[in-house]
Amino acid sequence: MAPRANWKGFLRLSLVTCPVALYPATSESEKISFNQLNRQTGHRIKYLKVDAETGDEVTNEDIVKGYELEKGQYIEVSKEELEEIALESTRTIEIDEFVARSDIDPRYLIRPYYIRPDGKVGHDAFAVIRETIREMDKVAIGRVVLTNREHIIALEPMDKGLVGTLLRYPYEVRSEQEYFDEIQDVKVTKDMLDLARHIVNQKAGRFEPEKFEDHYETALIELINEKRAGKVIRPKERPKGENVVDLMEALRRSVGKEAAPAKADKPAKKPRKAAAGQKEMLMPIAGKKQPKEAAAKKPAAGARRKSA
């Protein structure tokens, strides 16, 4: 069952309109997260909204938005005033233009969403818009309002639905010049490029996300399991970096290092999926959605620290 929609409204291409729902395409809720605790009592830390001058707690009903003109001087803006300037894109994703995918600078990409028809009507119109984008091999550019702000959204077909990726505005993207101007102009020799190309060819492959493992998440799981089992945690020795004295020699050694596994008769070890670490947990993580394959298994009862 699909998660709750982040936004519902209409997708419009000229006079063709259909109701749609927008869902987040990514999630970080499966990652391990920590609570802040009082070291003395073991109790969770609670945050309060307080008046910066009086220190008194303020209820949500008494909190308004304000824009700071000068230090300590604000212009208050009410919810009703913000609703007055609500844009048409609050309820409609209007397709403004079509561009080539290669035209979109990756620095402008923010996050992806899945878009599908909302309800039983509008599937025909949705299919027309989707297949038009697919046939033209273009990306549709529109506007949508999320969290009270208007965003540019790039729409692309995926299977029977659409993927909409939020884009940044130009003023949100920093210029590369202030970071790259001081990089030295270095002449790279043909021999160096040939060796580097050889390394790249030895490492060539296909992008398969399931091969990648979140090593930090795995290390967190191991740490929690070891602490729960009462093991003594000892710091591990950190690998030391090597100073590169001769770049050509480093490239030659790299070529040899990458070629070595190919000579071995033993098959390469299959990388463990990131989700596998979650199944090895000795305890369930409260409030977290367990992987589907682990859902059928009954989790072990987790010990809870008693409050003082």
Side-chain angles (χ1 to χ4, degrees), residues 230-259:
K231 295 183 180 179
V232 177
I233 308 300
R234 294 185 174 88
K236 297 178 182 178
E237 186 177 350
R238 297 285 182 182
K240 297 179 181 179
E242 298 180 4
N243 292 327
V244 178
V245 179
D246 187 333
L247 185 55
M248 279 295 293
E249 179 59 24
L251 286 168
R252 291 192 186 99
R253 287 166 55 189
S254 296
V255 169
K257 179 181 177 182
E258 296 304 325

Side-chain angles (χ1 to χ4, degrees), residues 45-160:
I45 300 298
K46 181 179 180 182
Y47 290 93
L48 302 176
K49 296 178 181 179
V50 300
D51 188 300
E53 297 296 328
T54 67
D56 297 332
E57 185 177 354
V58 183
T59 63
N60 289 333
E61 293 76 18
D62 291 328
I63 297 177
V64 296
K65 295 182 182 294
Y67 176 79
E68 188 172 28
L69 292 175
E70 298 177 5
K71 186 68 174 177
Q73 183 180 356
Y74 301 90
I75 292 290
E76 290 186 9
V77 181
S78 68
K79 180 181 178 181
E80 292 72 26
E81 288 170 331
L82 290 174
E83 290 175 350
E84 282 293 320
I85 62 170
L87 305 168
E88 174 63 20
S89 50
T90 301
R91 293 288 299 153
T92 303
I93 300 176
E94 179 82 42
I95 296 177
D96 295 324
E97 60 179 343
F98 293 85
V99 303
R101 183 67 178 81
S102 58
D103 288 346
I104 301 178
D105 189 322
R107 292 177 297 175
Y108 286 79
L109 304 177
I110 302 179
R111 72 181 66 88
Y113 290 88
Y114 294 136
I115 300 174
R116 71 179 190 188
D118 184 32
K120 297 181 179 179
V121 299
H123 286 250
D124 291 345
F126 182 87
V128 168
I129 296 173
R130 180 196 64 215
E131 293 309 309
T132 299
I133 300 173
R134 197 193 305 273
E135 287 295 320
M136 297 294 291
D137 194 23
K138 297 283 188 179
V139 176
I141 304 296
R143 289 162 286 123
V144 63
V145 171
L146 289 172
T147 61
N148 299 322
R149 297 301 296 264
E150 185 178 56
H151 299 270
I152 306 300
I153 188 167
L155 306 173
E156 299 177 84
M158 175 178 280
D159 195 18
K160 296 189 294 183

